[in-house]
Amino acid sequence: MKLIALGLNHLTAPVSLREQVAFDDDATGSALRDLAQQPGVDEAMILSTCNRTELYVSVAAGAENVPQEWFNRHHHLTPGKLDEFLYRHDDEAAVRHVFRVATGLDSMVLGEPQILGQVKDAYQQARDASALKTPMDRLLQHTFAVAKRVRTDTRIGAHTVSVAFTAVRLAERVFTDLRQACVLLIGAGDTIELAVRHLAEKQVRRLIVANRTLENAQDLASRHGGYAIALHDLPQHLAEADIVIASTAARQPVLTRPMVEKAIAARRRKPMFMVDIAVPRDIEPAVGELDDVYLYGIDDLRQVIDDNLRSRENAAREADAIIDLQVERYMAWRRALTVKNPALDLRQHAETYRDEVLEKARAMIARGKSADEALAFLANTLTNKLLHHPSARLREAVLSGDHELLHAAGRLYGLDEDETAGTADE
């Protein structure tokens, strides 16, 4: 069977196309069952996230194009529409790809940890749909072990590389317990939403979302237990905020020095931490001159992010070295599946003899022979049957001087050379 990884991601396809070929969670199970039933398909798993949609499929010889043909049919796409956006990895390259995906090396944010949970969810969906067999099941178990080792042995996830998370992390340095902090977020775009999610996870005391369009602020705030205000109401609420994170599309600053001075006075000089991640800036630079304000701009965060990204890139090189080794180990196991195993043949041969002789021993007891006679017959006959062919071959080896076979037999049976030769001469 050939292992294929087929898909598209944030590097190869625009979001409009990624949306079109994404799999809904509720429909993934039926899609998996349909894919697994296609001619030549032996196993299947579907990984679908906001940044990627991938099929992992084991196919018989001659069925290599079946996954892509099914992909087009399932999404009602004309043949060839996805060709310039798709990538395909076969066998060893497919194994390396799933290892890199699960460890975050193929993510938009290098080393991000969420993708591992998404791969585990995809694995569970494939199991629930009975779309996996031993080879791919073993591959996914190996994948999880590789991801854990990369996280343990490298610093791939040690440093944050997103603007929103870096802003929240900086806030933690000023306010060691964010559960006691009131946070004011200005804007309602993607960066602010990510910041809100991180802050909600930190269980901040209060979230206030301010936006020019109040409905957008209300939508974001309601999803995270916050309070929404219109942008023109900022002066009335600014003094409440211990932390301010701003990211709007305004052409002029929305927070001026006089506004912040009044807020600081109302707070009785209690410090405020501010992060301005907008371009153009939302907070007047002069605000940073105030004694009780800690103001960080996008360039300040960018330096932190760039340093952290370089650290992750170094860790990524270490992770790739780990992955290269683990790819070879899995491929060696997979190749062994196609090799005829003489140990299995030997065991089956022995079990066949055992069953035949055991049946004869039972027949002796049924005819009135004693149990001792039957056991002696069983032991002697089974020993003679199992050792007849090896003894004959060893006797021939002694006569012909085939020392290589004699040494191999000694290793196989755990005997030294003298014992092996003695056995053969008997």
Side-chain angles (χ1 to χ4, degrees):
M1 289 289 174
K2 178 180 286 293
L3 177 64
I4 293 175
L6 174 77
L8 46 78
N9 64 17
H10 60 284
L11 296 175
T12 69
V15 66
S16 58
L17 186 56
R18 300 203 304 273
E19 290 173 338
Q20 191 174 354
V21 300
F23 287 85
D24 183 84
D25 280 346
D26 295 335
T28 300
S30 60
L32 274 166
R33 286 186 286 272
D34 185 43
L35 175 56
Q37 291 171 3
Q38 298 301 304
V41 173
D42 192 52
E43 300 178 271
M45 185 182 81
I46 297 174
L47 175 62
S48 186
T49 74
C50 58
N51 285 328
R52 70 180 65 246
T53 294
E54 295 178 337
L55 310 181
Y56 292 88
V57 190
S58 288
V59 299
E64 291 85 354
N65 294 326
V66 170
Q68 185 171 342
E69 293 168 355
W70 175 87
F71 197 45
N72 287 327
R73 286 197 311 274
H74 183 82
H75 291 291
H76 309 291
L77 302 172
T78 56
K81 180 176 180 179
L82 294 179
D83 288 357
E84 64 178 299
F85 305 102
L86 286 174
Y87 48 80
R88 173 177 148 178
H89 305 289
D90 293 356
D91 293 330
E92 183 174 326
V95 174
R96 178 173 286 102
H97 181 72
V98 70
F99 285 177
R100 298 188 88 254
V101 168
T103 52
L105 298 184
D106 198 58
S107 296
M108 180 180 293
V109 177
L110 181 64
E112 60 94 2
Q114 288 81 10
I115 185 62
L116 178 58
Q118 293 166 329
V119 174
K120 288 182 176 180
D121 290 342
Y123 165 67
Q124 189 59 52
Q125 287 177 321
R127 290 196 66 184
D128 292 343
S130 301
L132 297 184
K133 296 181 181 177
T134 299
M136 195 176 292
D137 192 284
R138 175 71 171 259
L139 171 61
L140 270 299
Q141 294 294 337
H142 204 138
T143 298
F144 304 145
V146 169
K148 180 178 180 181
R149 180 172 177 185
V150 166
R151 290 279 162 186
T152 301
D153 293 359
T154 76
R155 295 180 61 80
I156 191 67
H159 302 288
T160 58
V161 293
S162 72
V163 171
F165 195 77
T166 300
V168 174
R169 183 58 62 86
L170 286 173
E172 283 187 295
R173 295 180 183 177
V174 178
F175 297 88
T176 55
D177 187 0
L178 291 183
R179 290 174 298 181
Q180 303 301 318
C182 174
V183 183
L184 169 63
L185 299 117
I186 306 174
D190 291 344
T191 301
I192 290 296
E193 179 159 4
L194 285 173
V196 169
R197 290 181 185 177
H198 293 311
L199 290 163
E201 290 175 359
K202 300 294 183 181
Q203 299 179 325
V204 295
R205 178 173 59 83
R206 191 180 186 204
L207 280 171
I208 303 174
V209 180
N211 193 54
R212 193 174 304 279
T213 304
L214 182 58
E215 290 78 6
N216 293 342
Q218 289 172 332
D219 176 62
L220 179 56
S222 64
R223 285 187 277 117
H224 299 281
Y227 175 71
I229 63 172
L231 208 57
H232 58 74
D233 290 330
L234 271 175
Q236 287 76 35
H237 293 273
L238 185 57
E240 302 174 39
D242 301 304
I243 299 168
V244 178
I245 300 177
S247 178
T248 76
R251 305 307 299 173
Q252 300 295 327
V254 296
L255 286 184
T256 63
R257 176 168 175 152
M259 290 171 59
V260 178
E261 282 180 321
K262 290 180 181 178
I264 287 291
R267 290 170 60 83
R268 298 181 180 179
R269 317 306 301 181
K270 184 180 178 182
M272 297 179 74
F273 172 78
M274 295 184 170
V275 181
D276 185 355
I277 48 184
V279 179
R281 285 176 283 191
D282 282 335
I283 304 175
E284 275 188 346
V287 169
E289 299 171 3
L290 298 174
D291 289 339
D292 299 297
V293 174
Y294 299 88
L295 175 62
Y296 287 79
I298 186 65
D299 289 342
D300 299 317
L301 269 64
R302 180 57 58 191
Q303 183 62 48
V304 174
I305 291 169
D306 288 346
D307 290 345
N308 290 348
L309 185 57
R310 281 190 289 273
S311 176
R312 285 200 176 192
E313 287 171 345
N314 291 334
R317 286 189 284 273
E318 299 175 17
D320 274 323
I322 294 172
I323 286 172
D324 286 342
L325 176 62
Q326 297 302 322
V327 166
E328 178 52 37
R329 288 184 176 176
Y330 174 77
M331 291 305 297
W333 176 85
R334 193 176 178 93
R335 286 191 295 269
L337 296 178
T338 64
V339 178
K340 188 176 178 61
N341 189 340
L344 296 178
D345 292 342
L346 178 63
R347 176 169 291 277
Q348 184 175 3
H349 188 60
E351 289 175 350
T352 299
Y353 276 152
R354 177 203 63 199
D355 293 342
E356 290 177 358
V357 177
L358 181 59
E359 188 61 32
K360 290 180 180 179
R362 286 171 174 162
M364 290 175 61
I365 294 175
R367 292 196 302 270
K369 298 289 186 180
S370 68
D372 286 342
E373 287 181 281
L375 286 174
F377 168 80
L378 176 66
N380 292 330
T381 305
L382 194 58
T383 299
N384 290 335
K385 280 184 174 291
L386 292 178
L387 292 181
H388 172 71
H389 290 295
S391 296
R393 288 293 292 119
L394 286 173
R395 190 175 296 108
E396 293 174 6
V398 170
L399 295 175
S400 64
D402 189 345
H403 297 291
E404 184 177 346
L405 178 58
L406 293 173
H407 290 167
R411 293 193 300 271
L412 180 63
Y413 289 102
L415 306 172
D416 59 27
E417 185 176 349
D418 292 337
E419 288 174 325
T420 303
T423 300
D425 285 332
E426 290 174 1

